[in-house]
Amino acid sequence: IRFFKSSVNRPKFLFLLEYKVAFLIKDSVTHQIYKRSGGRKMEETKYKTLVDAIWTGNVASGVAEARKLAESGIKPEMIFGECIEPELGLIGDDFSKLKIFLPELISAADVVKGVQEELRSFFISDGTKTSKGKIVLATVSGDLHDVGKNIVKAMLEVNGFEVNDLGVDVGPSTIIQTAKEMDADIIALSALMLPSLPSIKDTIELSRIAENKEHGFKIMIGGGPITKDWADKMEVFYGNDAAEAVTVANDLTNTGS
């Protein structure tokens, strides 16, 4: 933490303030990491280093630890399901309660993106490359968040689905047109902000127009502001997290084991 670029003519109290702020931040992070473990000492958990890296925004440490875990035999989907997803949920919860702020959220997202890239080579199918189904995936118009969507994509791909990821801030017409062109089985929509819900609604409505023209799409939605009740009201399918998204996709394509 630095309030001035130079220490020349710097009041002594600022040195003390800097030290106190830095100490409090470090102590807060350490306390949160302990708290996130359910009261267990993080030393007793196999994901301690990775959790620490996510909460402190240490990309290099997170990437190295993720590779180490994967090389030790832990499957990438377990790393995501048992560690990364729960931590992101807690980070999102703290962000919504103003316990942490945008810089911490972005730092955590950077770590997770680095881990995803590092573990990409470990997402290997068991031989046959037959696709279970085609999915168009997007974060809807007006929303720029992609960490949760990226985890869903990784989990769907490792479970045998062909995923066309359109990215973030994608409009309804682009989503539906892409789904038509690739003859998709499922359209998966993500949103993290409440103001994005109308965009999801518009996409659903446009898909129903397409359905009347011989293009029937099954729609799955998920993200922070979305609930199962709202999904039921929209008459679409709901995935609470990446693991559940895979289960729903399997059910919709009749490919569940």
Side-chain angles (χ1 to χ4, degrees):
I1 310 294
R2 286 287 178 262
F3 293 94
F4 291 90
K5 292 183 179 179
S6 170
S7 59
V8 178
N9 297 323
R10 199 161 176 215
K12 183 178 179 181
F13 82 90
L14 285 179
F15 282 103
L16 297 174
L17 181 59
E18 283 182 8
Y19 176 81
K20 182 65 175 175
V21 170
F23 176 81
L24 287 174
I25 290 173
K26 182 178 183 298
D27 183 65
S28 173
V29 170
T30 302
H31 174 67
Q32 289 188 51
I33 291 169
Y34 174 78
K35 201 169 60 173
R36 295 310 177 273
S37 69
R40 301 186 309 276
K41 290 182 179 179
M42 287 304 297
E43 287 78 9
E44 298 173 2
T45 76
K46 60 188 173 186
Y47 297 119
K48 174 194 179 302
T49 303
L50 184 53
V51 169
D52 196 341
I54 292 170
W55 279 91
T56 57
N58 191 329
V59 177
S61 174
V63 167
E65 182 63 16
R67 172 165 283 277
K68 180 180 174 183
L69 290 167
E71 288 177 342
S72 74
I74 301 175
K75 293 182 178 181
E77 52 265 41
M78 290 180 65
I79 296 173
F80 281 108
E82 294 179 352
C83 177
I84 294 176
E85 277 200 77
E87 294 308 315
L88 286 178
L90 291 164
I91 287 170
D93 186 51
D94 274 8
F95 179 69
S96 69
K97 294 176 180 176
L98 300 181
K99 291 182 179 179
I100 62 171
F101 300 95
L102 191 57
E104 290 90 343
L105 195 66
I106 292 172
S107 294
D110 287 342
V111 175
V112 174
K113 286 178 182 178
V115 168
Q116 288 170 337
E117 286 302 312
E118 186 67 21
L119 294 185
R120 190 176 297 278
S121 62
F122 290 89
F123 282 107
I124 303 172
S125 64
D126 56 4
T128 58
K129 213 31 181 153
T130 305
S131 171
K132 287 183 176 182
K134 299 177 182 178
I135 299 177
V136 171
L137 175 66
T139 298
V140 296
S141 180
D143 199 322
L144 301 175
H145 298 89
D146 67 352
V147 175
K149 172 186 67 64
N150 291 344
I151 293 177
V152 169
K153 177 187 177 182
M155 292 291 282
L156 287 169
E157 286 180 336
V158 79
N159 280 277
F161 290 93
E162 178 185 342
V163 181
N164 187 343
D165 182 3
L166 300 182
V168 300
D169 193 20
V170 186
S173 59
T174 300
I175 294 169
I176 300 303
Q177 184 59 37
T178 304
K180 288 179 183 178
E181 291 172 358
M182 72 177 289
D183 192 24
D185 301 292
I186 299 170
I187 294 174
L189 305 175
S190 172
L192 194 66
M193 303 186 304
L194 200 59
S196 302
L197 293 186
S199 295
I200 288 186
K201 187 176 180 182
D202 290 345
T203 306
I204 293 169
E205 290 174 351
L206 190 58
S207 76
R208 286 175 180 152
I209 294 173
E211 188 173 345
N212 292 335
K213 296 179 180 178
E214 304 304 320
H215 287 280
F217 301 115
K218 296 167 184 174
I219 296 182
M220 172 171 57
I221 63 176
I226 298 170
T227 64
K228 188 176 186 310
D229 286 344
W230 194 80
D232 289 343
K233 200 172 292 184
M234 292 292 103
E235 298 180 332
V236 295
F237 300 92
Y238 172 72
N240 183 55
D241 53 28
E244 190 170 305
V246 172
T247 300
V248 172
N250 280 329
D251 291 343
L252 294 179
T253 56
N254 298 311
T255 56
S257 54

